[in-house]
Amino acid sequence: MIPSLLGNGGRGRGERIALLFLALVALLFFRDVLFGPNALVTSNMSRWLPWRATATLERQARPSFRDDAAETYYPRRHLSAEELEAGRVPLWNRYILCGTPHLADFQSCVFHPLNLLLYRIDHRWAMGAFVVFHLLLGAFFLFLLSRRLGVGNAGATVGGLSFLFNAYFATYLGHPPHISTGCWLPALLLLARRQVRRGWTPLLPLAAALTILGGFPQTILYVFTISSAFALVEWGGLPRPERRRGAFRIAALGLLIAVGAGITLFQILPTAELGGLSERRNIPVEEILRDHQPRPWSMIRAVLPDFFGNPVDENYWIVPYQGALPHPSDVGWIGYGGVLPLLLAGAALLFRRRRETIFFGAVAAFSLALAFSPHLFRLFHRLVPFARFSAELHRLQFPFLFSVAVLAGFGFDAIAERLAGANRRRVIAYIAAWMLAAPLLAAATGIWGGAMRRDARERMFRVELSSIRPAVVPPHARIWLEGRSEEEWAAHQWKVAFRFGAIVLAGGAALLLIGKRGRAGRAAAAAAILIVLADGWTFARVYYTPQPRDEIFADHPSLQTLRAEEEEPFRVSRFTREYMLPSNTGLPYGIEDLGGVNALLPAHYARVFEAIDPNLFPDGRRITAFHHPSDLFLPLWDLLNLKYILVPDRYEPANGPARNWEEALEGSDRFRVLRRPPLTLLENTRVLPRAFLRHDWVVEKNRGEILRRITVPGFDPRGPLFIEEDPAIPRGTAPELPEDLCEVIRREGPDVTLRARSGEAGLLFLSETDFPGWEAAVDGVPAPILRADYAFRAVAIPAGEHEVSFRYRPRSFRRGVIGSALFAALYLVLVAVAARRRLPARRDALPR
């Protein structure tokens, strides 16, 4: 008999207690963001200018992790809420990249049902509520999945805790779409199992739709792939007479998932359009493997997660082995779901070999092979087109950790059953082997730890001396690697080994007692659950870096100059290697940025910056700050309405002494230095307005030639426009006329209306990114948009005074809405038909 801490093993009271326990754990862990003064924006903005200037040293010293929380997710939420409150669909983001699609970026999660409820609430609180809700869903669903697969309440609770605190979720608390997508995997498996065994499952399309709306394509791929494979395994386990009926149910399952995907076409079609016009799908597989494939050393972290340090404590030194990670605050492959859950997962594979354990073991093994084998990943990348948008291989730890969590429940029951029976020797030997591993691991740390550090130091120096890519090692870790703090190094390693040993010894002792009957067995089960909880809690707490709510995007007087409150809008950028009003963070203040970060961004816009300097467009999803002084003086920036450039207080060239900007710019009338403490701004005195008229142009069908001409120092932004087709109007006598008038008279979200007046026909140029879906009208009559100067918009207008409007009305969204409505109607029809068929059966079942 399996000891039951949470009831008699059946459904009902025991399950309710377990679910309540999981909820209580999550609420206690996140109490400060749900009920206290903090927000789950994990980036410490007090380390960035301008906020750093007024922040105390104590505030600056607070831990920080996942800058995405402040750089992308909070601004996206702010924009979505602002547009919806104004009665507009948030289709376009005009605040970054000279304008870019907003809803089409999957990770914006604009129409996620929970977001629709949270938009009217303080965004800083809503960030945490969104994450915690989905973490709870994931833990609940995994518990219920385990129970339906025959795992007892205590084992299912262990699995739920492991999933709640797994490394994938714990290190992505500042990256909500990972969690709001991944949490649905156990639910889909649960529903797929029901569909194969019992037929019609009306919740399946809704779970599929919510998975997609969760917003992270890579995890969506894993969720649907694993769910489909699980359904086939369940079908294979049916008795032979039922397999034919099961085949029809499998087909119906595919139909129901397709219906769920169809309901989200309003999101899928715009994303597909943007994805097809972005650079993410064109990243070479060899580049992905070079930059993102984890090395074998990473597997150490599946049992010793802090062996190489961590970015939060800034003692992270795996970089010499791993290679330069894509983000300074990234962690690569950890694969940590808890020491005890990993022990239990192994026990499940050894002592309970049934269809489900073999399946989840295969998922875990395939995830590891895909992440660590370049040959297998190349094949995966070639055969699965959607995988081209899944560049970071360390995210394959999600299916691995999910499998570990499910297997942990099976392993718990397997150990309890064997210890309660006669065949207990193998289980005792297995647990003893893990307990023996603790002192062996400590000894290995003492023997080989120093050698590994010396090897890492040599690797670091070799990489830094090469011209490929320097190893970015935090200062604290560098001290360790350079041998200047040997005692601190040793203390850290012993602490890591001691933590593992304490968990294994305590957990192993508890597991050896769970076969006991009565109170002893229940106490041992409770102890095992609490050890899993303590392990997961302390691990996740390392990466839990919420910030005081009143400091998130706090107002700062130095930003007043940068706010586009004048009649003429303008843009800003930066020349710096430090975080100074990072890209996207100006959005909540109404500041428009030449650069920006977006998971998907229009490729033609990015190529403009890449043609100037590849470092300006480093990874397919961001336009970064200027690094070379010569880039500041390119005439192209005048065309793009760049008025202010944020710079450090002093000009610090790569070679030579630092100087004041006034001295560095002496002899040039291009910039004027403005001091807005703590910010220093270069004001571009030659900036052109957002929109203007041109009466001369060059038709050039070779787009590469246009790109070359606009990115050279000799480009004349006041000269002829380069367009790709004839505008069918007479060319003027000069590029611009003294009497020309062009002004913005109305701006409603992304849509803009202008008044233009001239004595000659010409082109009205708008320095905003061209993209499919933009429509133009002259005096209310539709007019074709011409792509001008490679990536921007222009429209032909006749002589005289005219009102010109640009509106973003993408067909992809309109078609998606129609498709979503049709699939929603189909779903309702299916529900009605199924309900009508079941009604007679229920009536017949009633007593007469």
Side-chain angles (χ1 to χ4, degrees), residues 41 43-46 48-51 66-76 78 93 95-96 552-556 559 562-563 572 574 578-597 646 679:
V41 176
S43 323
N44 184 358
M45 299 179 68
S46 296
W48 307 343
L49 284 173
W51 304 281
R66 289 288 178 209
D67 295 340
D68 308 79
E71 280 199 68
T72 57
Y73 292 105
Y74 183 92
R76 283 174 183 152
H78 184 278
N93 181 356
Y95 293 99
I96 59 171
I552 303 300
F553 285 92
D555 202 1
H556 201 281
L559 298 177
L562 299 177
R563 293 178 178 174
V572 304
R574 55 201 60 73
E578 68 170 323
Y579 271 26
M580 183 185 298
L581 191 68
S583 297
N584 294 28
T585 57
L587 190 156
Y589 303 98
I591 297 171
E592 299 187 41
D593 202 325
L594 197 67
V597 181
L646 289 79
L679 299 179

Side-chain angles (χ1 to χ4, degrees), residues 94-280:
R94 67 185 176 95
Y95 293 99
I96 59 171
L97 306 169
C98 287
T100 186
H102 176 64
L103 177 137
D105 178 11
F106 231 44
Q107 297 181 46
S108 61
C109 301
V110 171
F111 287 113
H112 191 288
L114 182 58
N115 275 338
L116 293 176
L117 295 175
L118 293 174
Y119 282 140
R120 292 185 176 275
I121 301 173
D122 184 345
H123 306 320
R124 295 165 294 184
W125 185 85
M127 289 275 288
F130 185 83
V131 169
V132 176
F133 177 79
H134 286 98
L135 283 172
L136 264 178
L137 280 183
F140 284 177
F141 289 142
L142 192 132
F143 174 87
L144 295 174
L145 172 66
S146 300
R147 292 290 292 123
R148 301 309 177 261
L149 292 176
V151 177
N153 284 327
T157 303
V158 168
L161 288 171
S162 178
F163 195 53
L164 179 67
F165 291 120
N166 76 80
Y168 184 75
F169 286 170
T171 59
Y172 277 109
L173 293 174
H175 208 314
H178 287 271
I179 296 170
S180 58
T181 300
C183 74
W184 291 100
L185 176 54
L188 277 171
L189 296 187
L190 193 64
L191 294 170
R193 182 174 184 271
R194 178 185 175 89
Q195 171 68 25
V196 172
R197 289 171 174 260
R198 300 177 58 182
W200 168 246
T201 306
L203 292 178
L204 189 56
L206 296 182
L210 288 168
T211 301
I212 294 170
L213 293 177
F216 201 77
Q218 189 170 353
T219 312
I220 293 170
L221 174 65
Y222 303 151
V223 167
F224 284 129
T225 301
I226 295 170
S227 301
S228 302
F230 182 75
L232 292 174
V233 169
E234 285 292 309
W235 173 75
L238 293 175
R240 286 187 178 275
E242 295 185 23
R243 287 189 182 178
R244 178 174 294 181
R245 182 181 297 178
F248 286 107
R249 290 173 178 171
I250 287 281
L253 182 145
L255 173 64
L256 292 176
I257 290 179
V259 170
I263 292 172
T264 64
L265 282 176
F266 66 87
Q267 177 68 72
I268 291 176
L269 293 187
T271 299
E273 179 180 55
L274 177 57
L277 297 172
S278 76
E279 289 286 4
R280 291 298 292 272

Side-chain angles (χ1 to χ4, degrees), residues 523-673:
I529 291 174
L530 292 177
I531 290 168
V532 172
L533 169 60
D535 182 13
W537 184 296
T538 55
F539 165 75
R541 208 72 186 178
V542 171
Y543 297 94
Y544 182 63
T545 58
Q547 307 298 323
R549 197 172 295 157
D550 58 357
E551 295 177 16
I552 303 300
F553 285 92
D555 202 1
H556 201 281
S558 64
L559 298 177
Q560 192 65 33
T561 304
L562 299 177
R563 293 178 178 174
E565 295 178 350
E566 306 172 14
E567 292 184 4
E568 286 290 333
F570 58 84
R571 296 191 178 96
V572 304
S573 190
R574 55 201 60 73
F575 173 78
T576 178
R577 293 185 182 273
E578 68 170 323
Y579 271 26
M580 183 185 298
L581 191 68
S583 297
N584 294 28
T585 57
L587 190 156
Y589 303 98
I591 297 171
E592 299 187 41
D593 202 325
L594 197 67
V597 181
N598 232 36
L600 299 173
L601 58 87
H604 59 289
Y605 182 82
R607 291 189 193 112
V608 173
F609 292 82
E610 188 177 36
I612 295 168
D613 182 354
N615 291 321
L616 294 175
F617 181 55
D619 60 2
R621 58 188 167 189
R622 73 188 68 224
I623 306 297
T624 64
F626 300 124
H627 293 95
H628 300 295
S630 59
D631 292 342
L632 295 177
F633 293 88
L634 288 177
L636 177 63
W637 312 133
D638 305 342
L639 182 81
L640 299 190
N641 194 222
L642 177 60
K643 185 174 183 179
Y644 295 114
I645 301 174
L646 289 79
V647 296
D649 286 341
R650 293 168 61 81
Y651 172 57
E652 299 179 2
N655 299 314
R659 293 178 290 168
N660 290 329
W661 279 101
E662 289 82 357
E663 297 174 359
L665 296 172
E666 188 176 359
S668 171
D669 61 349
R670 178 69 181 270
F671 296 108
R672 186 164 63 98
V673 180

Side-chain angles (χ1 to χ4, degrees), residues 71 247 276 315 340 421 467 562:
E71 280 199 68
N315 57 6
L340 214 53
S467 59
L562 299 177

Side-chain angles (χ1 to χ4, degrees), residues 657-693:
R659 293 178 290 168
N660 290 329
W661 279 101
E662 289 82 357
E663 297 174 359
L665 296 172
E666 188 176 359
S668 171
D669 61 349
R670 178 69 181 270
F671 296 108
R672 186 164 63 98
V673 180
L674 299 180
R675 303 287 179 176
R676 298 290 185 270
L679 299 179
T680 299
L681 311 176
L682 303 184
E683 182 182 10
N684 183 6
T685 60
R686 302 179 187 177
V687 62
L688 291 173
R690 181 69 54 87
F692 53 80
L693 293 174

